Amino acid sequence: MSATTPMKPDVQTDRPPVSAQTLAKWQNVVDHISQIAQVPATLIMHTQAQRHDVCVTSGGAENPYSEGQSFQLHDKLYCFGVFENDGELCVPDAAHDPRWRDNTDMEYGMSFYVGLPLKWPDGGIFGTICMLDRRRNIQALSFRKGLRQFCRIVEDDLALLEEIERRKSIEARLQQELESREALIATRTQDLEDANTALRVLLQSVEASRNEVEDRIAQQIRGLVLPHIGRLRQLNGEDARALSHLDVIEANLKNITTAMTGKLAEALADLTPTEAEIVQLIVQGRSTKEIANTLSRGTSTVDFHRNNIRQKLGLTHRGKNLRQHLASLA
């Protein structure tokens, strides 16, 4: 880089700010350097584009630099030479150095300079750390290695600042993701609640429709069918078998819209037609003899079917009453 080439600014625009705690630490650093190297001024400079500002300055009455003091970065600043070298610049006596005899810091009489670049972890320039004096300082020249160590301390702090900022950014993204997921869960929960509400309304509507249909069927049975069964009972008043069948028909019609068609219907599905007929007569309270007369069968045949029914219904213990069990299913 030539002496007239302008300094390229740091390409990163989202560098983390230097915390007050870190600035306090750097203050101790520059004060220690000034004390050990016996120089009136030790500076940590911060470079942003073409601005070169005093970030931290050592204490002492002989130090002409103040915190926040700003310079325009150009080739007559010692720190410009640091950036040119991309490394240490050592000027033991600027008065005898043609390059630096008219540099800006000579306005303060600072003819002695040792400086190093300060960089972010990615190589971007933060600024410089430097020692200045009004005379050739042998003590400071011998402390150049020590200055490098303090330079590493400051750069470690810069790396720590970026790591803290990175973790904050990750934490913020995670928090944003968490809030987004919580919002999504809340939305889906509300959707499920709305769906459940709609389903309950639908089920209530279906139940109401079912009840309405059952009521209509029951009314039709009572108005259109049962009167004719009553008439048939009058016409067959002396036929016991016919009356028994009519009783079964009437009872089944009355229960056609009730829970009687539930468990008992399931039980009837596993029986033969004759067994199913016997079960319905048992539910009506008919005795074996009455069932035999109704079906024109012998009582032994009815007993045979009753035993088969008991086995199919799982009534293996003879002490359990078949009619009571069938009544519980109805």
Side-chain angles (χ1 to χ4, degrees), residues 19-308:
S19 66
Q21 183 180 5
T22 300
L23 290 173
K25 178 182 177 181
W26 289 357
Q27 185 66 58
N28 288 331
V29 166
V30 297
D31 288 341
H32 276 90
I33 292 173
S34 288
Q35 182 179 3
I36 296 171
Q38 297 180 6
V39 293
T42 300
L43 309 175
I44 291 178
M45 305 293 293
H46 186 202
T47 303
Q48 294 177 299
Q50 296 301 311
R51 285 185 55 191
H52 195 57
D53 301 336
V54 178
C55 182
V56 182
T57 179
S58 59
E62 296 184 6
N63 184 353
Y65 303 99
S66 59
E67 183 179 328
Q69 188 175 358
S70 183
F71 299 88
Q72 184 71 21
L73 189 64
H74 57 81
D75 60 358
K76 293 302 181 180
L77 279 178
Y78 287 131
C79 292
F80 189 93
V82 173
F83 298 139
E84 270 190 323
N85 296 342
D86 194 22
E88 183 190 65
L89 174 67
C90 180
V91 183
D93 188 354
H96 297 88
D97 189 327
R99 166 73 193 279
W100 298 108
R101 67 178 54 174
D102 60 346
N103 78 82
T104 303
D105 291 289
M106 289 296 283
E107 297 177 7
Y108 303 100
M110 295 296 177
S111 60
F112 175 87
Y113 179 90
V114 177
L116 293 166
L118 294 172
K119 298 181 179 181
W120 294 100
D122 63 1
I125 293 173
F126 175 83
T128 61
I129 183 170
C130 55
M131 304 180 293
L132 299 101
D133 202 345
R134 296 179 177 87
R135 60 181 177 80
R136 181 183 177 88
N137 190 322
I138 303 301
Q139 180 71 14
L141 288 172
S142 66
F143 187 67
R144 288 161 66 188
K145 289 185 178 180
L147 183 65
R148 293 191 187 98
Q149 295 302 316
F150 281 107
C151 177
R152 300 289 87 78
I153 290 174
V154 175
E155 289 186 333
D156 286 345
D157 289 338
L158 293 175
L160 181 60
L161 288 173
E162 282 216 329
E163 178 63 19
I164 291 172
E165 193 69 14
R166 186 185 71 85
R167 294 189 180 187
K168 286 182 178 179
S169 178
I170 292 174
E171 183 179 351
R173 288 199 302 272
L174 289 174
Q175 182 63 32
Q176 185 178 10
E177 178 67 18
L178 177 61
E179 291 174 357
S180 176
R181 288 177 180 261
E182 287 178 346
L184 179 60
I185 290 172
T187 300
R188 290 184 175 178
T189 300
Q190 185 61 48
D191 290 343
L192 287 174
E193 291 178 356
D194 293 343
N196 286 335
T197 300
L199 181 59
R200 285 194 294 270
V201 172
L202 178 61
L203 290 175
Q204 291 171 358
S205 176
V206 170
E207 181 67 18
S209 297
R210 187 181 68 86
N211 292 336
E212 182 180 348
V213 170
E214 289 181 352
D215 289 342
R216 186 166 61 252
I217 292 174
Q219 290 174 3
Q220 290 175 347
I221 290 174
R222 287 193 296 269
L224 301 177
V225 179
L226 292 181
H228 294 284
I229 292 177
R231 181 59 178 164
L232 287 173
R233 184 176 285 108
Q234 292 175 358
L235 295 174
N236 295 277
E238 298 179 358
D239 189 340
R241 292 168 56 193
L243 291 176
S244 295
H245 285 295
L246 288 173
D247 289 342
V248 172
I249 292 172
E250 184 178 17
N252 287 340
L253 286 173
K254 288 180 178 179
N255 290 314
I256 202 167
T257 59
T258 67
M260 184 267 178
T261 59
K263 293 182 179 179
L264 183 57
E266 294 177 5
L268 292 176
D270 295 329
L271 303 180
T272 66
T274 300
E275 291 170 347
E277 197 172 14
I278 291 174
V279 163
Q280 295 179 65
L281 291 169
I282 293 174
V283 170
Q284 294 296 318
R286 304 303 174 88
S287 66
T288 299
K289 184 177 180 180
E290 290 172 331
I291 294 172
N293 290 334
T294 300
L295 300 179
S296 300
R297 305 286 179 90
T299 55
S300 60
T301 301
V302 175
D303 287 335
F304 173 78
H305 287 300
R306 288 175 67 106
N307 288 333
N308 287 340

